[in-house]
Amino acid sequence: MNFIEDLKWRGALNQVTDETGLIDAMQSGEIGAYVGTDPTADSLHLGHLIPFMVLKRFQNAGGKAIIIIGGATGAIGDPRPTTERQLLSPEQLRENEKGITEQVTKLFGDDHTVIVNNNDWLGQLTLTDFLRDYGKLFSINVMLKKDVVASRLETGISFTEFTYQILQGIDFHELWRRHNVQLEIGGSDQWGNITSGIDLIHSIEGNEAKAFGLTIPLMTDSSGKKFGKSEGNAIWLNPEKTSPYTFYQFWFNQSDEDVVKYLKYFTFLGVDEINALEQESKNNPGGRVAQRRLAQEVTKFVHGEQAVSDAEKLSAALFTGDVANLSATDIADAFGGVPSFDITADKKNIVDFLVDGEVEKSKRQAREDVTNGAITISGEKVTDVNFEIDPTKHYEGKFVLVRRGKKKYFLGTVK
RNA sequence: GGGAGUGUAGCGAAGUCUGGCUAAACGCGACGGACUGUAACUCCGUUCCUUCGGGUUCGUAGGUUCGAAUCCUACCGCUCCCA
C-alpha cells in the first residue's frame, strides 16, 4: 500500500488535490510535507495529534516532516466560523511556542524532521513588500468565497483575520522554496487555506510547480461527540496538564465501536495486526485487548515506554490491587499521576476534608457522596458524614488516598 | 435612524397574559449507586448554598404590592426586519 492507500484504509483521508501526482512526486525522491500549528496554548492536545499522525506516516513513508510553529500567524489568529479571536500577548506567544516546540520535537525526533517558526520570514516582511509581492496575487473575490470568511460576513470579520489565508499561503510557498515541501496537511477546515497556498505557489513559480494539499476528516466518536475530551476537559500532551495515567485511561476506556477506528488512526500497527485485534475484540469484548493495545501504543508514542509501564502499574493498583496494604513508597510511586493536595497530620472531618482538598465542590455534594457510599479513604469505605480522618493511620502517616466513585482518585500529601 | 422580538439554574426550554400552590416543570449534560467488561444499554438517586434553623436566585437597577420570574419604569445585552 502506498501512502494514500494506507490513509484511506485508516479512514484518515478527506480530500486530496491530486492523488496520482502526489504519489508520483513521493516516488521520484524525498519531498517534504508540512503541518502548521499556531501557539494558541502552552501545550498540544489530542486534536493536534490528528494531523501530526498523518505527517508522521508521511515521514515513515520516506518523506521529510516539516512542522511550522506559527509564531507570526498565531499573533494574527486563524478565523473561526463564529467570532473574532482574542489576541495573545507576545509573552504568552513565546511561552506557548516553547512548550509546543518541545512536544513536537519529542514526537518527531531529529531525523528527517525540520521545525521552523514562520515568524522567521513573516516577521521580516514589510507592509509594502507584503502588498507588492503577495497582495497582488490574491483576489479579494476568491478570498471572500472561502468557507470560513463567507460564514463570517454576516457577523463580521476584521481585516486582520481576513488576511490570515494569505499568511498561510506564504508559509507554504516559503517551505516549498526552502525545504522542497510539496504537500500541506491539515484538518478538513483547512482546505481553503491550503488551496490558497497552492494557488500562490502556482502564481509565483508557474503552473508546473508541484504542490499538493491533503485534508483529514473531522474526528468524532460513536456517540457523535467531538473527539478528544474526557469529562469535558481536553486531553493534553503535556504530562503536567494531563497525567500519563489519565492519558492511558482515556484510550483504555474507548468503546468497542470506536476502538478499531482509533487503532487504525492513532497507532502505527499494520493491517494484519489491527485485523487480528478487531477479531479478538469481537470474539471477546470483555477482554479489552484492543483497548489495552491502543492505550499502550498511543501512550508510548506520546509519553514513552516508561510512562506505559507506570500507567499500567497504577491501573493495576487501582482496579485490582488492595490499596490499603500498599506501602508509602508504592503510593508515592504509583499515584504521582493523580490529582493531589496538601494536608496536615491533624484529624479532620471527612466533609471538610473533601471540600478543602477540592475532591468535592460543596459540602452538600460531599455529604451526598459520603452517604451514597461513593467515598473510600485509604481503602476503607466511609459512609458516616461525621467520620474523622486520621492522616497518621495509613502509609506511614504520609498520605491519605481518596477515591470518589469507582475510578477517580485523589491524593492528600501530609506536609 | 425606524420597527419587532428576546434575556430563566452547566446547556436547551416551560412558567410571564390570569401575582401567592415555584428553589422554579420537562429534556440534555454532569455527579453518584445497582448491573457489567475500568464498557455500552438499562434502572435508581442527586444536581444554588447551608451551621439543615434558614439564606440567596429568574439580564441590571429601581418601583407597585401583605406578597413579583410573573405588573410598572429605566438601563444593558442579543436576534431579526425595514432604511
Side-chain angles (χ1 to χ4, degrees), chain A residues 231 249 252-253 256 285 288 319 363-364 367-368 372 374 404-408:
Chain A
E231 289 147 32
Q249 285 287 327
F252 190 89
N253 280 303
D256 299 339
R288 303 181 78 85
F319 292 103
K363 293 187 177 185
R364 215 220 90 255
R367 285 199 194 87
E368 181 188 321
N372 285 343
R404 191 188 86 217
K406 277 176 194 151
K407 45 184 171 179
K408 293 197 186 61

Coordinates of all heavy atoms in Angstrom, one line a residue, chain A residues 231 249 252-253 256 285 288 319 363-364 367-368 372 374 404-408, chain B residues 30-39 45-52 80:
Chain A
E231 N -14.6 14.0 30.2 CA -15.4 14.7 31.1 C -15.3 16.2 30.9 O -15.2 17.0 31.8 CB -14.9 14.5 32.6 CG -15.3 13.1 33.0 CD -14.2 12.5 34.0 OE1 -13.6 13.3 34.7 OE2 -14.0 11.3 34.0
Q249 N -5.6 6.0 30.5 CA -7.0 5.6 30.8 C -8.0 6.1 29.7 O -9.0 5.5 29.4 CB -7.4 6.1 32.2 CG -6.8 5.3 33.3 CD -7.5 4.0 33.5 OE1 -8.6 3.8 33.2 NE2 -6.7 3.0 33.9
F252 N -7.8 3.6 27.1 CA -8.2 2.3 27.6 C -9.8 2.2 27.6 O -10.4 1.2 27.5 CB -7.6 2.0 29.0 CG -7.8 0.6 29.4 CD1 -6.9 -0.3 29.1 CD2 -9.0 0.3 30.2 CE1 -7.1 -1.6 29.6 CE2 -9.2 -1.0 30.7 CZ -8.3 -2.0 30.3
N253 N -10.4 3.3 27.9 CA -11.9 3.4 28.1 C -12.6 3.6 26.8 O -13.8 3.8 26.9 CB -12.2 4.4 29.1 CG -12.0 3.9 30.5 OD1 -12.6 2.9 30.9 ND2 -11.2 4.6 31.3
D256 N -16.1 -0.2 22.3 CA -15.9 -1.3 21.3 C -16.1 -0.7 19.9 O -15.4 -1.1 19.0 CB -16.8 -2.5 21.6 CG -16.6 -3.1 22.9 OD1 -15.5 -2.9 23.5 OD2 -17.5 -3.8 23.4
P285 N -15.1 -9.3 23.7 CA -15.0 -7.8 24.0 C -14.6 -7.6 25.5 O -14.0 -6.6 25.8 CB -16.5 -7.4 23.8 CG -17.3 -8.6 23.7 CD -16.4 -9.7 23.3
R288 N -11.0 -6.7 26.5 CA -10.5 -5.3 26.2 C -9.1 -5.3 25.7 O -8.3 -4.4 25.9 CB -10.5 -4.5 27.5 CG -11.9 -4.4 28.1 CD -11.9 -3.5 29.4 NE -11.8 -2.1 29.0 CZ -12.9 -1.4 28.8 NH1 -14.1 -2.0 28.9 NH2 -12.8 -0.2 28.5
F319 N -7.3 -0.8 40.2 CA -8.5 -1.6 39.8 C -8.5 -3.0 40.3 O -9.6 -3.6 40.3 CB -8.7 -1.6 38.3 CG -9.1 -0.2 37.8 CD1 -8.1 0.6 37.2 CD2 -10.3 0.3 38.0 CE1 -8.4 1.9 36.8 CE2 -10.7 1.6 37.6 CZ -9.7 2.4 37.0
K363 N -20.1 21.3 50.3 CA -20.4 20.4 51.4 C -21.6 19.5 51.1 O -21.7 18.4 51.5 CB -20.6 21.2 52.7 CG -19.3 21.9 53.2 CD -19.5 22.5 54.5 CE -18.3 23.1 55.0 NZ -18.4 23.6 56.4
R364 N -22.6 20.1 50.5 CA -23.8 19.4 50.2 C -23.5 18.2 49.3 O -23.9 17.1 49.6 CB -24.7 20.4 49.3 CG -26.2 20.2 49.5 CD -26.9 20.3 48.2 NE -27.0 19.0 47.6 CZ -26.3 18.6 46.6 NH1 -25.4 19.4 46.0 NH2 -26.4 17.4 46.2
R367 N -21.5 15.5 51.3 CA -22.4 14.7 52.2 C -23.1 13.7 51.4 O -23.3 12.5 51.8 CB -23.4 15.6 52.9 CG -22.8 16.4 54.0 CD -23.9 16.9 54.9 NE -23.3 17.9 55.8 CZ -23.2 19.2 55.4 NH1 -23.7 19.6 54.3 NH2 -22.6 20.1 56.2
E368 N -23.6 14.1 50.2 CA -24.4 13.2 49.4 C -23.5 12.0 49.0 O -24.0 10.9 49.1 CB -24.9 14.0 48.2 CG -25.7 13.1 47.2 CD -26.0 13.8 45.9 OE1 -26.3 15.0 45.9 OE2 -26.0 13.2 44.9
N372 N -24.0 8.1 50.0 CA -24.2 7.1 49.0 C -23.2 6.0 48.9 O -23.2 5.1 48.1 CB -24.3 7.8 47.6 CG -25.6 8.6 47.4 OD1 -26.5 8.3 48.1 ND2 -25.6 9.5 46.5
A374 N -20.0 6.6 48.1 CA -19.1 6.9 46.9 C -17.7 7.2 47.4 O -16.8 7.3 46.5 CB -19.6 8.0 46.1
R404 N -13.2 8.7 44.8 CA -14.6 9.1 44.7 C -15.2 8.3 43.5 O -14.6 8.3 42.4 CB -14.7 10.6 44.4 CG -16.1 11.1 44.5 CD -16.2 12.5 44.1 NE -16.4 12.6 42.7 CZ -15.9 13.5 41.9 NH1 -15.2 14.5 42.4 NH2 -16.1 13.5 40.6
G405 N -16.3 7.7 43.7 CA -16.9 6.9 42.7 C -16.1 5.7 42.5 O -15.4 5.2 43.4
K406 N -16.1 5.2 41.2 CA -15.4 3.9 41.0 C -14.0 4.1 40.6 O -13.2 3.3 40.9 CB -16.1 3.2 39.9 CG -17.3 2.4 40.4 CD -18.1 1.8 39.3 CE -19.4 1.3 39.8 NZ -20.4 1.3 38.7
K407 N -13.7 5.2 40.0 CA -12.3 5.2 39.5 C -11.6 6.6 39.6 O -10.7 6.8 38.9 CB -12.2 4.7 38.1 CG -13.3 5.1 37.1 CD -13.1 4.4 35.8 CE -14.3 4.6 34.9 NZ -14.1 4.0 33.6
K408 N -12.2 7.5 40.4 CA -11.5 8.8 40.5 C -10.7 8.8 41.8 O -11.3 8.7 42.8 CB -12.5 9.9 40.4 CG -13.1 10.1 39.1 CD -13.8 11.4 38.9 CE -14.6 11.4 37.6 NZ -15.6 10.4 37.6
Chain B
rA30 P -22.2 13.6 30.3 OP1 -20.8 13.3 29.8 OP2 -23.1 12.5 30.5 O5' -22.0 14.3 31.7 C5' -21.1 15.4 31.9 C4' -21.2 15.9 33.3 O4' -22.5 16.5 33.5 C3' -21.0 14.9 34.4 O3' -19.6 14.6 34.6 C2' -21.7 15.6 35.6 O2' -20.9 16.6 36.1 C1' -22.9 16.2 34.9 N9 -24.1 15.4 34.9 C8 -24.5 14.6 33.8 N7 -25.6 14.0 34.1 C5 -25.9 14.3 35.4 C6 -26.9 13.9 36.3 N6 -27.9 13.1 36.0 N1 -26.9 14.5 37.5 C2 -25.9 15.3 37.9 N3 -24.9 15.7 37.1 C4 -24.9 15.2 35.9
rC31 P -19.2 13.1 35.1 OP1 -17.8 13.1 35.1 OP2 -20.0 12.1 34.3 O5' -19.7 13.1 36.6 C5' -19.2 14.0 37.5 C4' -20.0 13.9 38.8 O4' -21.3 14.3 38.7 C3' -20.1 12.4 39.3 O3' -18.9 12.0 39.8 C2' -21.2 12.6 40.3 O2' -20.8 13.2 41.5 C1' -22.2 13.5 39.5 N1 -23.1 12.8 38.7 C2 -24.3 12.4 39.3 O2 -24.5 12.6 40.5 N3 -25.2 11.7 38.5 C4 -25.0 11.4 37.2 N4 -25.9 10.8 36.5 C5 -23.8 11.8 36.6 C6 -22.9 12.5 37.4
rG32 P -18.7 10.4 40.0 OP1 -17.2 10.2 40.2 OP2 -19.3 9.6 38.9 O5' -19.5 10.2 41.3 C5' -19.9 8.9 41.6 C4' -20.9 8.9 42.6 O4' -22.0 9.8 42.3 C3' -21.6 7.5 42.7 O3' -20.8 6.7 43.5 C2' -23.0 7.9 43.3 O2' -22.9 8.2 44.6 C1' -23.2 9.2 42.5 N9 -23.8 8.9 41.2 C8 -23.3 9.2 39.9 N7 -24.0 8.8 38.9 C5 -25.1 8.2 39.5 C6 -26.3 7.6 39.0 O6 -26.6 7.5 37.8 N1 -27.2 7.2 39.9 C2 -27.0 7.3 41.3 N2 -28.0 6.8 42.1 N3 -25.9 7.8 41.8 C4 -25.0 8.3 40.9
rG33 P -20.4 5.3 42.9 OP1 -19.2 4.8 43.7 OP2 -20.2 5.4 41.4 O5' -21.6 4.4 43.2 C5' -22.2 4.5 44.5 C4' -23.6 3.9 44.5 O4' -24.5 4.8 43.8 C3' -23.7 2.6 43.7 O3' -23.3 1.5 44.5 C2' -25.2 2.5 43.4 O2' -25.9 2.2 44.6 C1' -25.5 4.0 43.1 N9 -25.4 4.2 41.7 C8 -24.4 4.9 41.0 N7 -24.6 4.9 39.7 C5 -25.8 4.2 39.5 C6 -26.5 3.9 38.3 O6 -26.3 4.2 37.2 N1 -27.7 3.2 38.6 C2 -28.1 2.8 39.9 N2 -29.2 2.1 40.0 N3 -27.4 3.1 41.0 C4 -26.3 3.8 40.7
rA34 P -22.6 0.2 43.7 OP1 -22.1 -0.7 44.7 OP2 -21.7 0.6 42.6 O5' -23.9 -0.4 43.0 C5' -24.9 -1.0 43.9 C4' -26.0 -1.6 43.0 O4' -26.6 -0.6 42.3 C3' -25.6 -2.6 41.9 O3' -25.3 -3.9 42.4 C2' -26.7 -2.6 41.0 O2' -27.8 -3.3 41.4 C1' -27.1 -1.1 41.0 N9 -26.4 -0.3 39.9 C8 -25.3 0.4 40.0 N7 -25.0 1.0 38.8 C5 -26.0 0.5 38.0 C6 -26.2 0.7 36.6 N6 -25.4 1.5 35.8 N1 -27.2 0.1 36.0 C2 -28.0 -0.6 36.8 N3 -27.9 -0.9 38.1 C4 -26.9 -0.3 38.6
rC35 P -24.2 -4.8 41.8 OP1 -24.3 -6.1 42.5 OP2 -22.9 -4.1 41.9 O5' -24.6 -5.0 40.3 C5' -25.7 -5.9 40.0 C4' -26.0 -5.8 38.5 O4' -26.3 -4.4 38.1 C3' -24.8 -6.1 37.6 O3' -24.6 -7.5 37.5 C2' -25.2 -5.5 36.3 O2' -26.1 -6.2 35.6 C1' -25.8 -4.1 36.8 N1 -24.8 -3.1 36.9 C2 -24.5 -2.4 35.7 O2 -25.2 -2.6 34.7 N3 -23.6 -1.4 35.7 C4 -22.9 -1.1 36.8 N4 -22.0 -0.2 36.8 C5 -23.1 -1.9 38.0 C6 -24.1 -2.8 38.0
rU36 P -23.2 -8.2 37.6 OP1 -23.3 -9.7 37.4 OP2 -22.5 -7.7 38.8 O5' -22.4 -7.6 36.3 C5' -22.7 -8.0 35.0 C4' -22.0 -7.2 34.0 O4' -22.3 -5.8 34.3 C3' -20.5 -7.3 34.1 O3' -20.0 -8.4 33.4 C2' -20.0 -5.9 33.5 O2' -20.1 -6.0 32.1 C1' -21.2 -5.0 33.9 N1 -20.7 -4.2 35.1 C2 -20.1 -3.0 34.9 O2 -20.0 -2.5 33.8 N3 -19.8 -2.3 36.0 C4 -19.9 -2.7 37.3 O4 -19.5 -2.0 38.2 C5 -20.5 -4.0 37.5 C6 -20.9 -4.7 36.4
rG37 P -18.5 -9.0 33.7 OP1 -18.3 -10.2 32.9 OP2 -18.4 -9.1 35.2 O5' -17.5 -7.8 33.3 C5' -16.1 -8.0 33.5 C4' -15.4 -7.0 32.7 O4' -15.8 -7.2 31.3 C3' -15.8 -5.5 33.1 O3' -14.6 -4.8 33.4 C2' -16.4 -4.9 31.8 O2' -15.9 -3.7 31.5 C1' -16.0 -5.9 30.7 N9 -17.0 -6.1 29.7 C8 -18.2 -6.8 29.6 N7 -18.8 -6.7 28.5 C5 -18.0 -5.9 27.7 C6 -18.2 -5.5 26.3 O6 -19.1 -5.8 25.6 N1 -17.1 -4.7 25.9 C2 -16.1 -4.3 26.7 N2 -15.2 -3.6 26.1 N3 -15.9 -4.7 28.0 C4 -16.9 -5.5 28.4
rU38 P -13.6 -4.9 34.4 OP1 -12.5 -5.4 33.7 OP2 -14.1 -5.7 35.6 O5' -13.3 -3.4 34.8 C5' -14.1 -2.7 35.7 C4' -14.1 -1.2 35.4 O4' -12.7 -0.8 35.5 C3' -14.5 -1.0 33.9 O3' -15.8 -0.7 33.7 C2' -13.3 -0.2 33.3 O2' -13.7 1.0 32.8 C1' -12.4 0.0 34.5 N1 -11.0 -0.2 34.1 C2 -10.2 1.0 34.0 O2 -10.6 2.1 34.1 N3 -8.9 0.8 33.7 C4 -8.3 -0.4 33.5 O4 -7.1 -0.5 33.2 C5 -9.1 -1.6 33.6 C6 -10.4 -1.4 33.9
rA39 P -16.8 0.4 33.8 OP1 -16.0 1.6 34.1 OP2 -17.9 0.0 34.7 O5' -17.3 0.5 32.3 C5' -16.5 1.3 31.4 C4' -16.9 0.8 30.0 O4' -16.9 -0.6 29.8 C3' -18.3 1.2 29.5 O3' -18.5 2.6 29.3 C2' -18.3 0.4 28.2 O2' -17.6 1.0 27.2 C1' -17.7 -0.9 28.6 N9 -18.6 -2.0 28.9 C8 -18.9 -2.6 30.1 N7 -19.9 -3.5 29.9 C5 -20.2 -3.4 28.6 C6 -21.1 -4.2 27.8 N6 -21.9 -5.1 28.2 N1 -21.2 -3.9 26.5 C2 -20.4 -2.9 26.0 N3 -19.4 -2.2 26.6 C4 -19.4 -2.5 27.9
rG45 P -35.7 7.6 41.4 OP1 -37.0 7.9 42.1 OP2 -35.6 8.0 40.0 O5' -34.5 8.2 42.2 C5' -34.4 8.0 43.6 C4' -33.1 8.6 44.1 O4' -32.0 7.9 43.4 C3' -32.8 10.0 43.8 O3' -33.4 10.9 44.7 C2' -31.3 10.1 43.9 O2' -30.9 10.0 45.3 C1' -30.9 8.8 43.2 N9 -30.5 9.0 41.8 C8 -31.3 8.6 40.7 N7 -30.7 8.9 39.6 C5 -29.5 9.6 40.0 C6 -28.5 10.1 39.2 O6 -28.4 10.2 38.0 N1 -27.5 10.7 40.0 C2 -27.5 10.7 41.3 N2 -26.4 11.2 41.9 N3 -28.4 10.1 42.1 C4 -29.4 9.6 41.3
rU46 P -33.8 12.4 44.3 OP1 -34.5 12.9 45.4 OP2 -34.4 12.4 42.9 O5' -32.3 13.0 44.2 C5' -31.6 13.3 45.4 C4' -30.3 13.9 45.0 O4' -29.6 13.0 44.1 C3' -30.3 15.2 44.3 O3' -30.6 16.3 45.1 C2' -29.0 15.3 43.6 O2' -28.0 15.6 44.6 C1' -28.8 13.8 43.2 N1 -29.2 13.6 41.8 C2 -28.3 14.0 40.8 O2 -27.3 14.6 41.1 N3 -28.7 13.7 39.6 C4 -29.9 13.1 39.2 O4 -30.1 12.9 38.0 C5 -30.7 12.7 40.3 C6 -30.3 12.9 41.5
rU47 P -31.3 17.6 44.5 OP1 -31.4 18.5 45.7 OP2 -32.5 17.2 43.8 O5' -30.2 18.2 43.5 C5' -28.9 18.6 43.9 C4' -28.1 19.0 42.7 O4' -28.0 17.9 41.9 C3' -28.8 20.1 41.8 O3' -28.5 21.4 42.3 C2' -28.1 19.8 40.5 O2' -26.9 20.5 40.4 C1' -27.9 18.3 40.5 N1 -28.9 17.6 39.7 C2 -28.6 17.4 38.4 O2 -27.6 17.8 37.8 N3 -29.6 16.7 37.7 C4 -30.7 16.2 38.2 O4 -31.5 15.6 37.4 C5 -30.9 16.4 39.6 C6 -30.0 17.1 40.3
rC48 P -29.6 22.5 42.2 OP1 -30.6 22.3 43.1 OP2 -29.8 22.6 40.7 O5' -28.8 23.8 42.7 C5' -27.6 24.2 42.0 C4' -27.0 25.4 42.7 O4' -28.0 26.5 42.8 C3' -26.6 25.2 44.1 O3' -25.3 24.6 44.2 C2' -26.7 26.6 44.7 O2' -25.5 27.4 44.3 C1' -27.9 27.2 44.0 N1 -29.1 26.9 44.8 C2 -29.3 27.7 46.0 O2 -28.5 28.6 46.3 N3 -30.4 27.5 46.7 C4 -31.3 26.6 46.4 N4 -32.4 26.5 47.1 C5 -31.2 25.8 45.2 C6 -30.0 26.0 44.5
rC49 P -24.9 23.7 45.4 OP1 -23.6 23.2 45.1 OP2 -26.0 22.8 45.7 O5' -24.8 24.7 46.6 C5' -23.7 25.6 46.7 C4' -23.9 26.5 47.9 O4' -25.1 27.2 47.8 C3' -24.0 25.8 49.3 O3' -22.7 25.4 49.8 C2' -24.6 26.9 50.1 O2' -23.7 27.9 50.5 C1' -25.6 27.4 49.1 N1 -27.0 26.8 49.2 C2 -27.8 27.2 50.3 O2 -27.4 28.0 51.1 N3 -29.0 26.6 50.4 C4 -29.4 25.7 49.5 N4 -30.6 25.2 49.7 C5 -28.6 25.3 48.4 C6 -27.4 25.8 48.3
rU50 P -22.6 24.2 50.8 OP1 -21.2 24.2 51.2 OP2 -23.2 23.1 50.2 O5' -23.4 24.8 52.0 C5' -22.9 25.7 53.0 C4' -23.9 26.0 54.0 O4' -25.2 26.3 53.3 C3' -24.3 24.9 54.9 O3' -23.4 24.8 56.0 C2' -25.7 25.3 55.4 O2' -25.6 26.3 56.4 C1' -26.3 26.0 54.2 N1 -27.2 25.1 53.4 C2 -28.4 24.9 53.9 O2 -28.8 25.5 54.9 N3 -29.2 24.0 53.2 C4 -28.9 23.3 52.1 O4 -29.7 22.6 51.6 C5 -27.6 23.5 51.7 C6 -26.8 24.4 52.3
rU51 P -23.2 23.5 56.8 OP1 -21.9 23.5 57.3 OP2 -23.7 22.4 55.9 O5' -24.3 23.5 58.0 C5' -24.2 22.7 59.1 C4' -24.4 23.5 60.4 O4' -23.5 24.6 60.4 C3' -25.8 24.1 60.5 O3' -26.4 23.7 61.7 C2' -25.6 25.6 60.7 O2' -26.2 26.1 61.8 C1' -24.0 25.7 60.8 N1 -23.5 26.9 60.1 C2 -23.4 28.1 60.7 O2 -23.8 28.3 61.8 N3 -22.8 29.1 60.0 C4 -22.3 29.0 58.7 O4 -21.8 29.9 58.2 C5 -22.4 27.7 58.1 C6 -23.0 26.7 58.8
rC52 P -27.4 22.5 61.6 OP1 -27.5 22.1 63.0 OP2 -27.0 21.4 60.6 O5' -28.7 23.2 61.1 C5' -30.0 22.7 61.4 C4' -30.8 22.6 60.2 O4' -30.0 22.8 59.0 C3' -31.5 21.2 60.0 O3' -32.9 21.4 59.8 C2' -30.9 20.7 58.7 O2' -31.9 20.1 57.8 C1' -30.3 22.0 58.0 N1 -29.2 21.7 57.1 C2 -29.4 21.5 55.8 O2 -30.6 21.5 55.3 N3 -28.4 21.4 54.9 C4 -27.1 21.4 55.4 N4 -26.1 21.3 54.6 C5 -26.9 21.6 56.8 C6 -27.9 21.8 57.6
rC80 P -29.5 38.0 13.2 OP1 -28.8 37.0 12.3 OP2 -28.8 39.3 13.5 O5' -30.9 38.4 12.7 C5' -31.8 37.3 12.3 C4' -33.2 37.9 12.3 O4' -33.6 38.5 13.5 C3' -33.4 39.0 11.3 O3' -33.6 38.5 9.9 C2' -34.7 39.7 11.8 O2' -35.8 38.9 11.4 C1' -34.5 39.6 13.3 N1 -33.9 40.8 13.8 C2 -34.8 41.9 14.1 O2 -36.0 41.8 13.8 N3 -34.3 43.1 14.6 C4 -33.0 43.2 14.8 N4 -32.5 44.4 15.3 C5 -32.0 42.1 14.6 C6 -32.5 41.0 14.1

